[in-house]
Amino acid sequence: LTVDLSGLSAGQRQAIGYLVDASEIMDDLFWRQAYGGKQAFLSGIENDEERHFAEINYGPWDRLNNETPFVDGYTDKPLGAQFYPADMTREEFDSWNNPDKAGLYSFVIRDADGGLALFPFHEAFANELAEAAKLLRDAMPLVENEAFRDYLGMRADALVSGEFQASDFAWMDMKDNSLELVIGPIETYEDRLFGYRAAYESYVLLKDMAWSERLSRFADFLPELQRGLPVPDQYKQETPGTDSDLNAYDVLYYAGRSNAGSKTIAINLPNDEQVQLQKGTRRLQLKNAIRAKFDRILVPIADLLIAEDQRQYITFNAFFSNTMFHEVAHGLGIKNTLDGSGTVRAALKEHASALEEGKADILGLYMITRLFEKGEMNEGKLMDHYVTFMASVFRSVRFGASSAHGRANMIRFNFFQSADAFTRDETTGTYHVDFEKMQDAMSQLSGMILTLQGDGDYEGVDMLVQSEGTIGEQLQTDLDRLAAVGIPVDIEFIQGKDVLGL
C-alpha cells in the first residue's frame, strides 16, 4: 500500500508517522472489542498460515465465511463480540431500564450485583486513548492546513472524553486539506446482536486533488435527487445537508475495523444523524483500494460470470462511480422514523446496517441513472454501470451473511432474479443483464427499502432478511467456480511506515 509522498514537506511526512502510530493503537483496541487479547491468542497458534489468517481476521473466525471458526477449540463467534456479557440474553437487555443502553460508545458489563451496567470505552481504554491523543497532538504543529490542525486537536480531545459530535462538525468543515485522518469508534457492523456499539478503526489518507475536482460538483444535486426518490413524499421529507462533498483519496494506512476481513473502499461519514441533517456527510472514495479490487477481483469475476457480449461494459470508471454514489446515497432517504419514535438505526436494530447498505447500493444506481438522463454524467455508457453493478454483486455477496454488505447483496441478487432483471445461460454459466427490467427492479427495490426504513418496520425487515438474505443453490455453485479458479474474495494490504518510506 504505497503512495507517492514526494510532494509533501518533511514535516507533513513526519506527521503521517504519528498518525500511523495512533492508528496502530486503534488496531489494538479493535482486537479487544472483537476478540480479546491479541498476543496471547496469536502466540498459541503454531501453524504460520493459520496464525496469519487469524491476524487478518482479527480472531479465530473467518469474516468472509459467515464467521466460521477455523482455529481448533472455538465455537460460533458471539453476535455481540465483546461488547456484551457472554451470558446476557436479548430478553434481559430489552427489559433493562437504562435510557443509554443503545449508546454507541460503551460496553455492557455485569455490575457487582450481577445486573447490567455501562462501561464507557473512554474509561475502559483510558491509557491507550491518552497515548493516541498525544500522538495526534504531536502531529498538529507539523501539518500545514489550519483546519486539519484544529481538527486533530478536537479529535484528540474526543478520544479521551467520548464526546465526538464537536469534532464531527469540525471534520465536515474541512475542505482543502491534503492529509486526512478518520479515527475513533465509528461503524457498528461488529455488533451483530443489536447493531448499536461502534468499533475502533482508523484511516490515514492523502487526497487526490485532480480526481476530487472531478467529483465535487455532484454533491449539489443531492436535494433534487432526494425529491425524485420513488416513494411517497413523507418518506423523503428530510432534506440532505448542503455541505456534503465528494473527494478521492489514496489510502496510506488502514487499522482496526476497516482492516478486518473485507477492506473498505469508500467512506460516508459522520454517522451522527444530527450532523448529517445539519451538514450532510463527506464521501471519501479510496481510489488505490478501489483499483486493487477492480483489477484483482472484479475483472476476473466478470470474465467468468458475465456474458461475453456484455464484458465490454465492465469499466473502472463505472466501478468507481458506482462505489462513489453508493456513499452519496447514504445521505438520501430518511434518518428518523415517521412515527417520531427515534432513528431508523435504533428501530431496525441488528438489521439496520444490512438494509442501509442495500439502500445505498440501489439508490446509488438510481442516482447515476438520473444524472445520465439529465446529461450531467456522460463518461462512458449508462450500461457500463448496470453490468459493472451486476458483476459487483458477485464480488460482494462472497463476503457472507455475517457482513452487512454481503447480506445486502444476497437480498438484491434474489430480488433481481425474481424480477427477471438478468438471465443465466445454462450452457456457458454466464449472466446477461436485461437493462429495462433491471431499471424497473431498481425502482421497486428502492421504494421497498425506503418504506421499511421510514416505517421503522423491524418485523418486515426481519422477514425480508430471512427470506431473501440467503444464497441459493445455483448461485453457490457459481461462487464455487470463482473459488475453484483462485479468484480471491478480498485483498490484504502490506502496509506501514516502512512500506511508505517513513
Side-chain angles (χ1 to χ4, degrees):
L1 198 64
T2 56
V3 179
D4 181 9
L5 303 179
S6 61
L8 300 180
S9 66
Q12 295 268 76
R13 290 164 59 89
Q14 186 180 355
I16 291 172
Y18 286 128
L19 302 184
V20 170
D21 290 343
S23 300
E24 290 177 346
I25 294 174
M26 299 301 108
D27 201 71
D28 179 66
L29 298 187
F30 177 71
W31 261 100
R32 290 156 69 179
Q33 291 178 315
Y35 168 78
K38 172 184 177 181
Q39 295 306 326
F41 164 63
L42 293 178
S43 64
I45 303 176
E46 296 184 0
N47 181 278
D48 290 344
E49 289 188 356
E50 188 175 67
R51 188 185 315 111
H52 181 71
F53 198 57
E55 282 189 274
I56 63 178
N57 278 285
Y58 290 70
W61 302 284
D62 185 351
R63 290 176 176 270
L64 303 186
N65 186 24
N66 302 326
E67 301 284 7
T68 303
F70 58 85
V71 178
D72 288 342
Y74 287 89
T75 56
D76 292 345
K77 182 178 179 178
L79 292 176
Q82 301 301 306
F83 295 120
Y84 305 91
D87 62 349
M88 187 196 79
T89 64
R90 291 180 65 105
E91 292 74 20
E92 181 183 14
F93 183 87
D94 287 340
S95 63
W96 181 29
N97 185 22
N98 186 316
D100 299 319
K101 67 182 183 180
L104 291 165
Y105 308 124
S106 61
F107 290 104
V108 177
I109 62 171
R110 293 286 180 197
D111 62 21
D113 298 324
L116 299 179
L118 296 176
F119 189 17
F121 294 160
H122 70 277
E123 295 179 12
F125 302 132
N127 292 336
E128 296 87 345
L129 293 171
E131 177 59 25
K134 179 182 181 300
L135 289 164
L136 299 194
R137 294 187 183 105
D138 288 342
M140 288 175 62
L142 300 169
V143 302
E144 298 171 357
N145 182 275
E146 183 178 357
F148 184 50
R149 187 184 310 124
D150 292 342
Y151 165 75
L152 289 178
M154 296 180 72
R155 201 64 175 178
D157 294 341
L159 288 175
V160 297
S161 71
E163 300 291 337
F164 291 94
Q165 191 173 84
S167 62
D168 283 345
F169 274 114
W171 189 73
M172 283 300 302
D173 291 335
M174 293 192 304
K175 301 296 183 185
D176 55 0
N177 50 307
S178 58
L179 282 183
E180 183 65 88
L181 176 71
V182 175
I183 191 168
I186 299 172
E187 302 288 5
T188 62
Y189 304 125
E190 195 68 13
D191 179 3
R192 295 183 296 134
L193 185 61
F194 292 108
Y196 292 156
R197 259 100 199 142
Y200 283 95
E201 62 186 318
S202 185
Y203 307 81
V204 183
L205 309 167
L206 183 66
K207 184 182 286 186
D208 185 315
M209 296 297 187
W211 272 72
S212 295
E213 181 66 25
R214 291 172 55 186
L215 306 180
S216 60
R217 68 187 184 88
F218 288 119
D220 295 337
F221 293 100
L222 277 177
E224 178 183 348
L225 291 166
Q226 172 86 344
R227 291 192 296 271
L229 291 175
V231 283
D233 288 345
Q234 63 266 35
Y235 294 96
K236 50 189 176 182
Q237 61 184 314
E238 297 174 357
T239 302
T242 56
D243 284 350
S244 300
D245 60 2
L246 305 171
N247 290 288
Y249 294 80
D250 285 319
V251 190
L252 307 181
Y253 197 79
Y254 280 77
R257 201 268 338 156
S258 64
N259 195 46
S262 60
K263 303 298 184 289
T264 303
I265 55 177
I267 306 169
N268 174 65
L269 292 173
N271 287 330
D272 186 311
E273 288 89 356
Q274 292 183 40
V275 180
Q276 288 188 13
L277 290 174
Q278 290 186 46
K279 291 280 191 176
T281 59
R282 291 178 59 198
R283 284 87 175 192
L284 288 68
Q285 315 307 306
L286 311 183
K287 187 163 64 69
N288 54 347
I290 294 174
R291 172 59 78 175
K293 293 202 186 193
F294 180 79
D295 291 342
R296 292 168 170 79
I297 301 173
L298 191 72
V299 170
I301 285 175
D303 287 344
L304 192 66
L305 293 185
I306 297 298
E308 186 174 1
D309 66 330
Q310 290 194 334
R311 290 174 197 161
Q312 60 182 305
Y313 300 118
I314 303 292
T315 70
F316 176 71
N317 280 335
F319 185 49
F320 184 92
S321 295
N322 288 353
T323 303
M324 175 180 71
F325 281 101
H326 166 104
E327 300 306 327
V328 175
H330 278 300
L332 296 182
I334 197 161
K335 303 298 179 187
N336 299 291
T337 58
L338 296 182
D339 64 5
S341 63
T343 65
V344 171
R345 178 178 60 83
L348 300 186
K349 301 178 182 180
E350 76 275 16
H351 296 318
S353 291
L355 198 68
E356 177 63 22
E357 296 306 326
K359 180 202 83 172
D361 279 334
I362 200 68
L363 287 190
L365 190 60
Y366 158 83
M367 295 171 72
I368 288 170
T369 304
R370 298 296 170 260
L371 289 169
F372 260 92
E373 291 172 353
K374 288 169 58 66
E376 296 294 343
M377 289 185 71
N378 49 32
E379 188 171 343
K381 301 180 177 69
L382 180 56
M383 190 65 171
D384 297 348
H385 296 269
Y386 277 72
V387 179
T388 301
F389 186 91
M390 185 68 205
S392 199
V393 170
F394 296 115
R395 180 186 69 86
S396 297
V397 79
R398 299 172 82 201
F399 296 158
S402 65
S403 159
H405 297 81
R407 181 79 81 176
N409 277 273
M410 293 174 196
I411 293 170
R412 184 163 48 259
F413 179 90
N414 290 323
F415 190 92
F416 280 179
Q417 187 173 47
S418 298
D420 296 324
F422 58 79
T423 55
R424 183 182 184 277
D425 187 308
E426 296 297 329
T427 302
T428 62
T430 59
Y431 292 77
H432 190 280
V433 170
D434 186 310
F435 184 54
E436 300 299 329
K437 290 182 178 179
M438 186 175 280
Q439 286 195 68
D440 291 340
M442 172 190 70
S443 295
Q444 293 168 20
L445 183 57
S446 297
M448 182 177 71
I449 290 176
L450 290 168
T451 301
L452 288 168
Q453 288 185 319
D455 292 344
D457 185 357
Y458 176 85
E459 289 75 18
V461 176
D462 188 63
M463 186 180 302
L464 175 67
V465 169
Q466 299 307 324
S467 63
E468 301 297 334
T470 58
I471 296 177
E473 182 177 348
Q474 183 61 70
L475 176 57
Q476 186 59 60
T477 299
D478 289 330
L479 297 180
D480 291 342
R481 291 166 56 203
L482 302 179
V485 297
I487 299 174
V489 178
D490 213 86
I491 54 181
E492 177 194 357
F493 294 124
I494 300 170
Q495 59 175 0
K497 291 192 289 186
D498 54 338
V499 177
L500 291 169
L502 300 175

